[in-house]
Amino acid sequence: MRALVLILAAVVLLPFIVRPAIASEIWIFAIFGLGLNLLLGYTGLLSFGQSTFFGSAAYVAGYLLKHYAIGVFAALGIGVAVGAISALLVGYLCVQRSGLYFIMLTFALNQLFYFIAYQWTTVTGGEDGMPGVPRPAMLGIDFRDPVAYYIFVSVLFLLSLWLMKRIVDSPLGKILQGIRENEVRAEAVGYHVPRFKLLAFVIGGAFSGLAGVLYAMLFGIVPLEAIGFVTSGNVVFATLIGGSGSLYGPIIGSFVFIWLSESMSVVWARWPLLLGVAFIVVVLFFRGGVVEAWDRIWRFSKRTT
Amino acid sequence: MALLETHDLSKAFGALTAVNAVSLRVEAGTLHSIIGPNGAGKTTLFNLLTGTFPPSAGRIVFDGSDITGTPAHRIAHLGLARSFQRTNVFPAFSLLDNVWLAAFACSKSWRGLLWRRADRYPEATAQARAALADVGLGEKADQPAREISHGEQRQLELAIALAAAPRVLLLDEPAAGLSPEETRRMVALVRALKGRYTIVLIEHKMDIIMNVSDRISVMHFGSLIAEGTPEEIQRNAEVRRAYLGGVAA
């Protein structure tokens, strides 16, 4: 409940603190992180290829928006579907493997998609990206207005959060955590582990797809990096910094990550160094990320007063 | 009537035949023990029965139907539940959640799998609580599994198997690593379950076996060398030889 109030307050206040475009980017990246964390935090699967779904959705929906003038809702639906379907394909190949092989396979398939986008210049624009993705108006609301678009993104983010909360509180959420805790036992009590992992992939892919479309519409372009491994790495990075053990970790992580990169990149070209330091601190001292750090500080201050 | 049967069941790992043409008949409602020295192939036999890996040869028949080659995740749904020799629980979960996961797996319907709250399944929750109470852990339902003692973890191991409401319980050394006091409690527990379930029990401790079993099968180097009531087994010369080592007794 307290978390919800904090998030609502953040949604309302954020556009007054940073530019609406950056505020939108924070919530978009948070949706992306929510999808990853179902795999990383709940199922215990480190996917290093989430931008496959993010990028594929951005390209497909962006292309249709640009050339076929589809509506906003159609674009969202298509993005979610493309995210889910690409995750189904990739997940199908990956869930049979475990450990390092699993991680490398998600990465390798990500590279495969990346090079398809890189080569297929007539559609994706290759290295130049795919510019000219419109933000069509809907119900008389002009989404070219950054504040209107921010509100739209925020609503979708809150919806995504609500949906993800339902999922992690459901039996599925418990089964996925059971798989993380003990795969052999989960199988023995009667769960087809690869199929549940695949389901987690598809749901995570759908969230990534939603984030991808919103991203394309936000910047009006699908850059090649949207499907690159750096994007895959960034979402893992942000989620770990925020705390993969909690539903809200990726949201905090997204906030820290985007805010740092947007504010610091202007001031200091070497800003990723800060992220590196933050990451090292998390790995060494706060495995549970910002969420755990906050928890410990809060408990510590309660003990001392 | 035999509820669970194997016919010439074998498993070879390369040159090693871990289980060699074992034919077993477990009668419904009985407690059937499998004993044998370390490395006799008892756990491998369990792994075959529960689909961890398929046999190299032979058949497994459960309640009249051939279940040979059924994968592990289907076995629980058929009504065969196992406990593990080495404690194999969900450490970060509360005891209730450990058991709930098994109860839910075998519940009649998975409706609402993605959207209904996991605590809104009264049937699975009741079943899980009953299984915990059965093994005497009802009071500790909300504790995380990693914080309870080894003896209690062995009880939890059993509760997870019970929660699936199985027809056959396969217990792999439930008393492994227990103190004498804890062992006595475990024996009492197994005895209490006798009659309610058909039980196949692997155990090392002879006093337990002789105390609770209806029938005993003896394995040695992968093969069955004897079968009978506890009294028959105690008198059997070949069994003594297997346990005392190659010396002719």
Side-chain angles (χ1 to χ4, degrees):
Chain A
M1 198 57 215
R2 226 183 49 204
L4 191 67
V5 172
L6 275 172
I7 288 169
L8 277 175
V11 164
V12 173
L13 293 176
L14 204 57
F16 296 104
I17 302 165
V18 296
R19 281 188 293 129
I22 294 171
S24 300
E25 197 185 352
I26 287 174
W27 301 132
I28 290 170
F29 205 67
I31 296 173
F32 193 21
L34 283 174
L36 167 79
N37 205 32
L38 189 67
L39 289 170
L40 181 63
Y42 286 90
T43 320
L45 292 174
L46 174 51
S47 163
F48 244 116
Q50 289 302 101
S51 78
T52 308
F53 325 131
F54 182 88
S56 301
Y59 276 123
V60 174
Y63 188 82
L64 294 174
L65 277 166
K66 186 176 167 183
H67 295 284
Y68 294 89
I70 57 171
V72 170
F73 276 117
L76 294 182
I78 287 164
V80 169
V82 170
I85 292 165
S86 55
L88 183 70
L89 292 173
V90 169
Y92 179 77
L93 295 170
C94 295
V95 294
Q96 307 292 340
R97 303 280 165 271
S98 57
L100 204 53
Y101 298 98
F102 170 87
I103 300 170
M104 290 319 288
L105 204 52
T106 58
F107 176 72
L109 290 167
N110 194 177
Q111 288 296 85
L112 181 76
F113 275 78
Y114 173 83
F115 279 104
I116 290 172
Y118 181 71
Q119 295 286 340
W120 200 1
T121 46
T122 47
V123 174
T124 63
E127 262 184 305
D128 299 331
M130 189 169 75
V133 177
R135 261 188 246 162
M138 184 196 65
L139 308 170
I141 305 165
D142 185 2
F143 283 132
R144 278 172 304 180
D145 173 17
V147 176
Y149 191 65
Y150 172 78
I151 293 168
F152 180 62
V153 166
S154 311
V155 168
L156 284 169
F157 160 70
L158 291 173
L159 211 66
S160 302
L161 178 61
W162 174 76
L163 213 68
M164 188 53 85
K165 181 150 174 54
R166 288 300 293 245
I167 290 169
V168 301
D169 286 343
S170 75
L172 177 68
K174 216 161 250 184
I175 293 165
L176 294 179
Q177 291 174 70
I179 290 171
R180 178 194 70 201
E181 286 295 302
N182 189 341
E183 214 170 304
V184 172
R185 192 64 191 239
E187 190 90 28
V189 299
Y191 298 109
H192 191 10
V193 169
R195 196 161 296 165
F196 279 99
K197 285 183 176 174
L198 188 56
L199 188 54
F201 247 98
V202 171
I203 295 170
F207 278 76
S208 309
L210 176 63
V213 184
L214 291 173
Y215 180 87
M217 288 199 285
L218 175 66
F219 293 112
I221 181 173
V222 184
L224 186 59
E225 296 86 69
I227 202 164
F229 73 88
V230 175
T231 303
S232 297
N234 284 348
V235 71
V236 172
F237 213 59
T239 301
L240 287 176
I241 287 178
S244 62
S246 149
L247 176 64
Y248 305 105
I251 301 167
I252 296 166
S254 162
F255 188 85
V256 172
F257 185 83
I258 301 290
W259 177 72
L260 259 184
S261 64
E262 290 296 337
S263 60
M264 294 309 292
S265 59
V266 202
V267 188
W268 189 32
R270 307 264 181 273
W271 69 273
L273 201 67
L274 284 180
L275 276 181
V277 171
F279 191 67
I280 290 167
V281 169
V282 162
V283 169
L284 288 181
F285 304 108
F286 301 101
R287 287 292 183 80
V290 174
V291 172
E292 192 198 321
W294 174 258
D295 210 46
R296 275 206 239 161
I297 292 166
W298 193 71
R299 250 184 290 165
F300 182 77
S301 66
K302 235 178 61 171
R303 210 176 334 138
T304 46
T305 51
Chain B
M1 188 207 97
L3 187 55
L4 183 64
E5 292 172 76
T6 69
H7 299 283
D8 292 319
L9 201 64
S10 298
K11 179 68 187 181
F13 298 105
L16 173 79
T17 306
V19 172
N20 189 7
V22 168
S23 293
L24 198 69
R25 283 173 62 87
V26 178
E27 301 292 325
T30 61
L31 194 157
H32 194 126
S33 293
I34 298 170
I35 63 171
N38 274 329
K42 306 180 297 285
T43 298
T44 305
L45 177 65
F46 259 31
N47 285 338
L48 292 175
L49 290 175
T50 54
T52 309
F53 32 66
S56 311
R59 290 190 306 127
I60 305 166
V61 177
F62 175 57
D63 198 17
S65 48
D66 192 324
I67 61 161
T68 319
T70 306
H73 65 90
R74 290 293 321 153
I75 289 289
H77 298 273
L78 296 174
L80 280 136
R82 76 177 294 182
S83 75
F84 288 80
Q85 181 180 5
R86 292 163 110 199
T87 302
N88 201 353
V89 298
F90 305 103
F93 280 19
S94 70
L95 301 198
L96 182 63
D97 281 350
N98 263 276
V99 183
W100 187 89
L101 217 48
F104 180 78
C106 293
S107 62
K108 277 181 234 93
S109 118
W110 283 2
R111 271 189 60 192
L113 180 71
L114 268 73
W115 68 86
R116 196 189 298 177
R117 288 181 59 95
D119 50 19
R120 303 260 166 84
Y121 287 86
E123 213 170 304
T125 307
Q127 213 171 317
R129 286 202 183 277
L132 276 181
D134 266 346
V135 301
L137 289 175
E139 307 279 293
K140 303 203 168 189
D142 296 323
Q143 271 192 37
R146 67 159 94 82
E147 285 176 12
I148 59 176
S149 72
H150 174 73
E152 288 168 333
Q153 288 195 349
R154 299 304 300 165
Q155 286 163 258
L156 175 61
E157 185 66 48
L158 194 58
I160 296 175
L162 288 178
R167 297 172 63 197
V168 176
L169 262 181
L170 302 160
L171 306 181
D172 195 351
E173 290 197 42
L178 295 187
S179 70
E181 172 54 35
E182 290 170 327
T183 302
R184 262 193 296 281
R185 218 179 315 150
M186 186 57 80
V187 173
L189 236 164
V190 172
R191 200 194 293 276
L193 296 174
K194 204 176 141 176
R196 285 168 60 191
Y197 301 92
T198 302
I199 301 175
V200 185
L201 175 70
I202 293 180
E203 194 43 85
H204 260 314
K205 296 177 181 165
M206 274 304 168
D207 46 333
I208 302 183
I209 293 291
M210 294 304 166
N211 245 314
V212 299
S213 308
D214 295 313
R215 287 195 82 75
I216 298 175
S217 296
V218 187
M219 277 184 91
H220 191 44
F221 291 129
S223 306
L224 278 185
I225 58 168
E227 208 213 288
T229 62
E231 294 75 33
E232 286 165 358
I233 293 299
Q234 265 170 326
R235 284 196 304 268
N236 189 306
E238 209 179 337
V239 174
R240 292 191 181 180
R241 215 166 18 244
Y243 266 90
L244 295 174
V247 203

